[in-house]
Amino acid sequence: MTVELGDVVEGPLDRLTEPLSRVLGTRTVGALNKLGLHTTGDLLRHYPRRYSEPGKLTDLSSLEIGEHVTVMAEVRQVTVREMRTRGGAMLQAVLTDGTRTLNLTFFAKHKGALHGHENKLRAGRVGLFTGVVGAYQGSRQLTHPDYTIVGVDVEDEAEALVEAGRPIPIYPASAAIASWRIHTCVRTVLDPLREVDVADPIPEALRTRLSLPTLHQALLDVHEPFDDSQVRRGTNRLKYEEAFVLQVALARRRAEAAGQEATARPRLAGGLLDAFDAQLPFTLTNGQREVGAELAVELAAPSPMQRLLQGEVGSGKTVVALRAMLQVVDGGGQAALMAPTEVLAAQHVRTLRALLGTLAEGGFLGGDDRGTRVALLTGSQNAAARRENLLDAAGGRAGIVVGTHALLSENVQFADLGLVVVDEQHRFGVEQRDTLRAKATRVPHLLVMTATPIPRTIAMTVFGDLETSTLTEVPAGRSGVTTHVVPADNPAWMDRTWRRVREEVDAFHRVFVVCPRIDPDDPAAAAGAAGVDDDGADLLALDLDPGDGTTAERRPLRAVLEVVEELRGLPALAGVDIGVLHGRMSADDKERTMAQFAAGQIQVLVATTVIEVGVDVAEATGMVVLDADRFGISQLHQLRGRVGRGSAPGLCLLVTGAVDSGSSSPSATRLRTLEETTDGFVLAAVDLELRREGDVLGAAQSGGLSSLRLLRVTRDADLIARARTEATAVVDADPTLEHSPALRAAIEQQLAGEREEFLDRS
Ligand code: ADP
Ligand code: MG
């Protein structure tokens, strides 16, 4: 009998799905529920955040007023007295870490009610105390703290010694339930469990081979350790488990896709692709050729290609994608190219048409008879154009359909969608990818392209269901970009900056001036909203926390509409045609402006980050980024990739008020790194280190990652790589995981969690 994922698995697993209410009291369960813990399994997966070293007292000077703290300290002195004026009694204890002190205060109706505390809080004893730090007459104190005295609740002396030497787990706690109360609950749940009660997602054979403890043992290791080495052993095993379960889930997705049927589109001799290659004005780089061959083979197979193409800015991904599209068109299919912004979609259409020449004029007089058409579909194009393009897509006349999110809308249909290319993946979630793929009658091949190099570890997790190809070299003949940081407060430097812009223009080159927002009149606080448009791209500059806490006192961010006026008034730029480009302009206006810029009718373009991705103007050599500290590393690298693409060298000036000489704030580090290197992989790695993990991964792409507690995607690359290999082997040997029910259950649980999260968000 085979079991489908989702069936209830009877037996031992149930011990970990038991509701906490079956083993713990109502109030405790209520407090645990608030921490998101509902089952015994949840509680056992609520790992300690850290461990208190036995006997090592907390540095009491580090406590902040108002903070909810758990401290280990020694009782120095206790006094109990009656309060004449107020009535009632009060116990005061002084705690110490050896140097500093902290006061404890308990009130009661009469002295007798304080006996319990008096008995436990004896001078010389060490305990864990928790509460909110308050201030009274200039001293810090905890009022009615919850506490436990180390070693007191143990009967025999020898045992007490051992107990006193054990690491003390400190749990993520709340005001409603203190850390050691959680510890007590964990023991209540964990102690009666035997090895067989705890189903282990890691198959025994693998566990043995890697010398990993069982799940049961690992839980004991982290919740009730006798020493640090046990903590390490348990933590490592649980971390490995997280990586392994995630990788098995991804391996199953890959296997599932491989098991699906797609239309094979083998390369056709004498077809469109051959004609294209014959007229290509440059030779492909080795990388382009190799990746191209890889794609050609996969497109020729009857199962869907699932590939991620990453490459340095300007490495020529578009041509690689186009050649794949042409192979599919030769095979009777269509290709959809999905771009994140309207500007980029329009740009892609222009680029593709230019590269294809008469091959893009299929069905037109003078077009090549092997030719096809390239259709554009965006949200804001006019009704007539849209209707025609929709017909070309649905009727199959357009072999290539380029668009934004508009491609996802219900009325877009294809005659035979054979390949989906998603450009600049970081703006698209997995769901959108799936929506587009659902438009095909059979599963289409998939090629995902990313703008920025992706560190290996992200490729293995976020994009773990895709195989990866990488273009490392940039075509010969590129002059590259030199980058300098310019202090905004230095008038001489700013003067020099604009004169440099002038020099570029005089040499018949073009210059971008990038600002973080559009309109100076938008309130600074609503700066994000100011950038909202169907492109969504303008927003990106503003999402970023500079990470040095200086946002609040910054002067207002430079805005396109203000900067353009300023530049038009500058003597240094007299006679220069200066245009603007931002997300609030209509698609037509944007496209017209880009065309004028490309043709040289506009020489300086003041823009938001709408130009960030993929804009390709060979004559653009200069870029000035204002408030450069407001942008992320990858984004700035992406931006400067727009210049120096032709034979003339590019110059990128990063203007910022955040960099004084010798400043070591994160923004300063970011900008200096950009000055020093143009290697996208190096920058991606620095970026990962400087930013918080969540920022890097992005909410839309965190599917599956929300279940990670111990694993750090940014740091545990080797572990993830090893888990991936093992996971692939397990799935190859047992695709439905029939023989590993606990593993199946773990994956099912992870999926359920993801769905829940998805529902929460929608
Ligand atoms: P990216 O990988 O950043 O998307 P593009 O595909 O936009 O890069 O390519 C950048 C530019 O390089 C384009 O103008 C493209 O036509 C050109 N290009 C691509 N491949 C080559 C090559 N092998 N030799 C010379 N130029 C190339
Ligand atoms: Mg590109």
Side-chain angles (χ1 to χ4, degrees), residues 155-171:
E155 284 175 8
D156 106 41
E157 188 85 357
E159 196 188 329
L161 273 177
V162 174
E163 284 298 316
R166 293 173 72 167
I168 299 167
I170 306 293
Y171 290 89

Side-chain angles (χ1 to χ4, degrees), residues 24 43-44 154 159 163 166-169 171 180-193 220 223-226:
L24 299 168
L43 180 60
L44 294 179
V154 189
E159 196 188 329
E163 284 298 316
R166 293 173 72 167
I168 299 167
Y171 290 89
W180 66 84
R181 292 206 186 282
I182 296 176
H183 192 198
T184 309
C185 296
V186 168
R187 296 179 86 143
T188 310
V189 168
L190 184 53
D191 288 349
L193 291 184
L220 287 169
H223 291 299
E224 303 184 31
F226 282 92

